[in-house]
């Protein structure tokens, strides 16, 4: 395949390279104030190009400041889902015939819209889901990358229409990939723009229509994405937005007779239930699900410990560990484990904890009260079965607003078999385990149902080769000081998981993503046909 040039959006990196980080923060600060000025409004559903209100509403507050209301959102119901699916099914009849040029034109216009509103969107992500400045901007950049990349892929593959020739005289054959119909798009809170935008763009640019259900914690940024699509000229009904709970909106959406496929990112539990339900109902369309992770890192005896410590700290604690790719268990050679642990503790304690929208914050608040409860619970367990080296408690700082602030937590002496080292927590919590050699590290790293992301720190080429050959993981990172397991650029680092971390083995932002949303049709025409 010809090399395709990268066109990633790298807003913060570009400011850093140009020595204009101050400017980045100035724009960001201004955007935070602008967005703050608009918070608290009421947001209806968006169905068939129109606002549709609901009888009930739910409110969302800033995870870093409970006194700040993000907005009031319509609580969708099964009836609203019916209405949205009907609109999407009607719109499909036209949209499925839109040319490649018509579809890419809309998504490229949306890219322009997202670019213009970049700082506003990033500020919205910070305030609504508590992601710090650089990471919230990366969320926006990634969304733009998905729209750009899928547009280019659709063009590069000629809309997935191939001339397969004349196997026998007079029989002319073509092979086309055709859309299914309506997709249900069910999104998580943690990449509330990037993942939602990628999962919507995939099926829709391929010719399907969609009903989108964002996470209950992050409906405002979902509205802003759908607004951008509308501004870009997407026809009414092609993308509909129904906010509300998993049970009142997500479940009926998955079960709806006219929903042909589902694209989901979220927990393994919910993803599995969706897949099961879909199949039990006899549906045959795709369930494209990206699920959780319990991402291991191995640090060998000759690893560069400085890189390893920074990689593990950023992998485990950025966005407070609320990433499917977060580093959660580290297998360290016994000769270097004490040094590694001491340095990691010092690094964790040096990270600035604060409101997501503040320029200096590295570790931002977790999304909601249930995350705080889970943290308290696992830290109690860690103290009982292992040793909490740092963290293990809520932040008690009178200078911080009333929000969900947790301390980055490093734990040792937890048996590898214990649930703390096996289950995904989605919190700033990492366990460190001694191993005798790479072999033992690999066995333990692979001893998991999950297979999403993994990292290695080693300065020996043979160890790197062995690890790359044997690690059971979709995403593999070697000696990455910026983060041991998190962070992926669209196209360069397609993102997805093996084993229980995904259902299809095809990755978001990769060359094989779009074909998942279309089905093959083999066409044979015998010529000449009568006029
Ligand atoms: P979930 O709790 O699984 O929620 C994901 C979405 O599913 C939300 O919109 C949720 O709605 C909805 N939902 C809940 N119950 C449902 C049901 N019965 N039927 C249909 N939809 C339902 O995940 P989350 O807390 O938002 O995100 C964290 C999880 O996502 C972690 O496990 C993480 O590993 C995973 N994740 C994976 C990846 C990849 S690429 N592998 C990327 C990001 C996140 P409500 O919000 O209303 O409950």
């Amino acid at each position: 395949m010809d090399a395709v040039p990268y066109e990633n959006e790298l807003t913060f990196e570009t400011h850093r390279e140009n020595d204009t980080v101050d400017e980045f923060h100035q724009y960001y600060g201004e955007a935070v104030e602008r967005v703050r000025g608009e918070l608290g409004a009421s947001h209806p559903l968006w169905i068939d190009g129109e606002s549709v209100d609901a009888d009930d509403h739910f409110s969302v507050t800033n995870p870093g400041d409970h006194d700040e209301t993000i907005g009031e959102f319509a609580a969708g119901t099964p009836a609203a889902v019916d209405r949205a699916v009907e609109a999407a099914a009607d719109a499909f009849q036209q949209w499925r015939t839109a040319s490649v040029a018509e579809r890419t034109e809309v998504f490229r216009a949306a890219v322009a819209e997202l670019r213009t509103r970049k700082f506003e969107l990033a500020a919205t992500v910070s305030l609504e889901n508590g992601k710090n400045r650089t990471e919230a901007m990366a969320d926006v950049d990634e969304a733009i990358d998905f729209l750009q990349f899928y547009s280019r892929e659709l063009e590069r593959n000629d809309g997935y229409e191939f001339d397969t020739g004349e196997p026998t005289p007079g029989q002319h054959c073509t092979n086309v990939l055709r859309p299914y119909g309506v997709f249900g798009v069910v999104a998580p809170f943690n990449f509330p723009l990037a993942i939602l935008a990628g999962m919507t763009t995939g099926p829709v640019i391929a010719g399907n229509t969609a009903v989108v259900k964002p996470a209950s914690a992050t409906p405002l940024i979902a509205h802003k994405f759908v607004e951008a699509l509308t501004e870009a000229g997407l026809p009414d009904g092609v993308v509909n937005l129904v906010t509300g709970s998993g049970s009142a909106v997500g479940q009926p959406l998955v079960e709806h007779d006219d929903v042909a496929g589902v694209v989901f990112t979220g927990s393994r539990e919910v993803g599995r239930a969706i897949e099961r339900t879909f199949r039990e109902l006899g549906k045959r369309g795709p369930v494209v699900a990206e699920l959780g992770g319990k991402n291991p890192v191995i640090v060998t005896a000759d690893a560069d410990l400085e890189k390893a410590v920074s990689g593990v700290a950023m992998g485990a604690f950025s966005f407070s560990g609320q990433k499917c790719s977060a580093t959660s268990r580290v297998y360290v050679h016994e000769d270097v484990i004490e040094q590694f642990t001491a340095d990691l503790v010092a690094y964790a304690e040096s990270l600035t904890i604060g409101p997501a929208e503040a320029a200096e914050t590295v570790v931002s608040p977790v999304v909601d009260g249930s995350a705080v409860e889970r943290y308290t619970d696992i830290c109690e367990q860690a103290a009982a079965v292992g040793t909490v080296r740092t963290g293990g408690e809520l932040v008690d700082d009178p200078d911080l607003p009333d929000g969900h602030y947790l301390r980055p937590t490093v734990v040792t002496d937890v048996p590898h078999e214990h649930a703390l080292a096996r289950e995904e927590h989605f919190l700033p919590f990492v366990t460190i385990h001694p191993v005798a050699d790479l072999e033992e590290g690999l066995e333990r790293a692979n001893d998991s149902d999950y297979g999403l992301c993994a990292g290695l720190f080693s300065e020996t080429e043979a160890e790197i080769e062995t690890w790359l050959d044997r690690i059971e993981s979709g995403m593999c990172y070697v000696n990455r000081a910026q983060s041991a397991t998190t962070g992926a650029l669209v196209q360069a680092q397609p993102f997805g998981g093996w084993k229980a971390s995904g259902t299809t083995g095809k990755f978001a932002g990769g060359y094989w993503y779009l074909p998942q949303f279309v089905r093959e049709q083999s066409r044979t025409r015998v010529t000449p046909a009568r006029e």
Side-chain angles (χ1 to χ4, degrees):
M1 184 185 292
D2 292 344
V4 184
Y6 300 124
E7 286 181 30
N8 297 99
E9 200 82 2
L10 295 164
T11 306
F12 183 72
E13 273 312 306
T14 309
H15 277 280
R16 188 150 56 186
E17 273 169 24
N18 296 340
D19 222 6
T20 54
V21 169
D22 286 352
E23 212 171 78
F24 173 89
H25 285 300
Q26 184 200 325
Y27 296 157
Y28 212 105
E30 289 165 3
V32 166
E33 289 319 306
R34 277 201 310 280
V35 172
R36 279 213 153 112
E38 296 162 2
L39 293 180
S42 182
H43 301 270
L45 312 173
W46 182 254
I47 298 175
D48 206 11
E50 285 181 5
S51 293
V52 175
D53 213 349
D55 293 340
D56 293 321
H57 296 81
F58 61 101
S59 78
V60 173
T61 54
N62 179 340
D65 182 356
H66 300 150
D67 292 336
E68 185 162 68
T69 300
I70 302 297
E72 305 294 328
F73 297 88
T77 57
V81 170
D82 277 347
R83 194 165 160 183
V85 173
E86 194 182 323
D90 286 350
F92 178 64
Q93 296 314 325
Q94 279 297 316
W95 184 245
R96 71 190 185 88
T97 66
S99 67
V100 169
E102 285 165 333
R103 284 178 269 157
T104 53
E105 196 181 317
V106 170
F107 281 94
R108 290 219 169 89
V111 164
E113 183 70 16
L114 296 174
R115 279 200 177 123
T116 311
R117 298 173 62 177
K118 192 181 264 189
F119 280 89
E120 174 212 332
L121 296 169
T124 305
V125 170
S126 288
L127 295 170
E128 186 176 40
N129 99 330
K131 194 173 271 198
N132 76 18
R133 289 186 174 194
T134 50
E135 300 208 42
M137 186 57 84
D139 205 319
V140 178
D141 285 346
E142 190 178 350
I144 292 172
D145 287 348
F146 279 130
L147 270 66
Q148 292 265 69
F149 178 64
Y150 295 148
S151 300
R152 291 205 304 278
E153 276 301 283
L154 194 68
E155 283 167 347
R156 197 173 62 84
N157 289 285
D158 295 325
Y160 298 99
E161 290 196 18
F162 306 99
D163 189 331
T164 41
E166 246 182 53
T168 58
Q171 282 205 92
H172 193 86
C173 304
T174 49
N175 185 270
V176 295
L177 295 185
R178 311 198 67 202
Y180 285 90
V182 180
F183 266 74
V185 178
V186 182
F189 76 88
N190 69 333
F191 282 80
L193 182 57
I195 290 182
L196 181 130
M199 292 201 305
T200 305
T201 303
V204 172
I205 205 165
N208 302 281
T209 55
V211 176
V212 179
K213 184 225 147 344
S216 291
T218 52
L220 181 57
I221 192 69
H223 270 281
K224 293 193 175 195
F225 176 63
V226 174
E227 254 168 53
L229 293 178
T230 307
E231 286 292 315
L234 191 73
D236 292 349
V238 173
V239 171
N240 306 277
L241 181 67
V242 184
T243 48
S245 71
S247 53
V249 176
Q251 182 97 26
L253 179 59
V254 169
E255 291 175 357
H256 200 288
D257 283 347
D258 293 334
V259 168
V262 173
V263 52
F264 170 84
T265 301
S267 61
R268 181 166 71 159
E269 188 192 4
V270 175
R272 278 191 171 167
I274 287 178
E275 199 179 22
R276 207 170 35 242
T277 303
F278 208 71
R279 298 301 168 219
E280 279 170 7
L281 292 171
K283 295 176 177 229
R284 292 174 186 276
V287 177
V288 177
E290 292 294 344
L291 307 171
K294 184 70 182 173
N295 309 296
V297 169
I298 298 175
V299 180
T300 65
D302 76 342
D304 178 329
L305 285 195
E306 204 175 316
K307 279 189 219 160
V309 166
S310 123
V312 167
M314 295 321 290
F317 304 134
S318 58
F319 194 38
S320 282
Q322 299 172 110
K323 297 183 187 177
C324 52
S325 52
T327 305
S328 52
R329 50 198 174 110
V330 189
Y331 300 103
V332 187
H333 193 281
E334 54 204 15
D335 289 353
V336 294
I337 192 167
E338 273 316 312
Q339 185 65 53
F340 172 85
T341 307
D343 292 354
L344 181 65
V345 165
Y347 199 113
E349 289 175 355
S350 76
L351 297 171
T352 307
I353 304 172
E357 68 278 12
E360 62 283 2
T361 293
V362 178
V363 179
S364 48
V366 293
V367 69
D368 58 20
S370 83
V372 176
E373 276 170 30
R374 291 199 323 271
Y375 177 80
T376 307
D377 175 44
I378 62 169
C379 290
E380 275 171 21
Q381 288 184 49
V385 298
T387 310
V388 177
R389 297 292 189 108
T390 188
E393 57 191 9
L394 313 188
V395 175
D396 181 18
D397 179 348
D399 291 337
L400 286 177
D402 181 18
H404 303 304
Y405 298 95
L406 310 179
R407 289 203 182 284
T409 300
V410 177
V411 174
T412 56
D413 308 315
V414 168
H416 163 73
E417 296 71 26
H418 195 277
L420 287 174
R422 306 190 74 80
E423 286 170 9
E424 183 184 47
H425 302 300
F426 230 55
L427 291 165
F429 182 94
V430 66
T431 56
I432 315 292
H433 310 263
V435 288
D437 51 22
L438 177 65
E439 187 59 36
E440 190 186 356
L442 265 167
E443 271 171 31
R444 296 195 162 203
N446 286 339
D447 180 22
S448 170
D449 290 344
Y450 291 112
L452 187 57
C453 298
L456 172 73
F457 290 90
S458 166
E459 296 297 318
T460 306
E461 191 52 37
E463 283 188 336
I464 295 172
E465 286 302 324
T466 302
W467 181 82
L468 284 171
D469 180 50
R470 304 234 330 257
I471 191 74
E472 294 167 5
S473 175
M475 313 291 301
C476 307
Y477 298 96
V478 178
N479 290 331
R480 196 145 160 283
Q482 75 187 77
S483 167
T485 54
T486 69
L489 289 175
V490 167
Q491 181 183 355
Q493 294 153 314
F495 194 89
W498 288 11
K499 296 156 85 173
S501 293
T503 56
T504 70
K506 304 285 188 297
F507 292 1
Y511 295 116
W512 288 272
Y513 190 67
L514 291 189
Q516 301 181 104
F517 303 107
V518 272
R519 51 189 166 176
E520 210 164 335
Q521 187 171 59
S522 185
R523 294 176 170 176
T524 301
R525 285 165 174 247
V526 177
T527 53
R530 259 184 289 144
E531 286 295 317

